[in-house]
Structure formats: C-alpha cells, structure tokens
Amino acid sequence: MNNWLYGLYALILGLVSIVTGEIITFVMLGFILISLQNIHSTLKEMLAVQKEKN
C-alpha cells in the first residue's frame, strides 16, 4: 500500500474517534499500526536480503 493510503486511513479513524469521543483509543491504535508497519518493512527487507544470498 502507498503511504498516502495509510494517511487516509488515519484521517478517517481520527474523524471517527473525535465524533465518538475515543481519542485515547485512536492514539493507541496509531501506535500499534506504526509498530506493525515497521515490523512489516523489516521483514520485507530481510526477505530481500535472503533472496539475494540464494
């Protein structure tokens, strides 16, 4: 996915959280999503390095 799409998802979730009054939930979800994105990027890099070795 593109980075702008992640931004769009974050914006939509932010608007929903403001309407429902669950700002803390939005912030915690944001931290979780950022962590998962970092893990995914690292795994993709590891896979690319592994493929180059073989």
Side-chain angles (χ1 to χ4, degrees), residues 12-31:
I12 291 170
L13 287 172
L15 292 174
V16 170
S17 70
I18 290 171
V19 170
T20 60
E22 297 181 0
I23 304 299
I24 299 301
T25 303
F26 173 69
V27 171
M28 296 307 292
L29 180 61
F31 286 139

Side-chain angles (χ1 to χ4, degrees), residues 21-51:
E22 297 181 0
I23 304 299
I24 299 301
T25 303
F26 173 69
V27 171
M28 296 307 292
L29 180 61
F31 286 139
I32 291 169
L33 291 175
I34 289 169
S35 298
L36 289 174
Q37 179 61 30
N38 289 336
I39 291 168
H40 182 256
S41 298
T42 303
L43 288 174
K44 283 177 70 174
E45 289 174 9
M46 291 172 61
L47 180 64
V49 169
Q50 189 69 16
K51 283 185 176 180

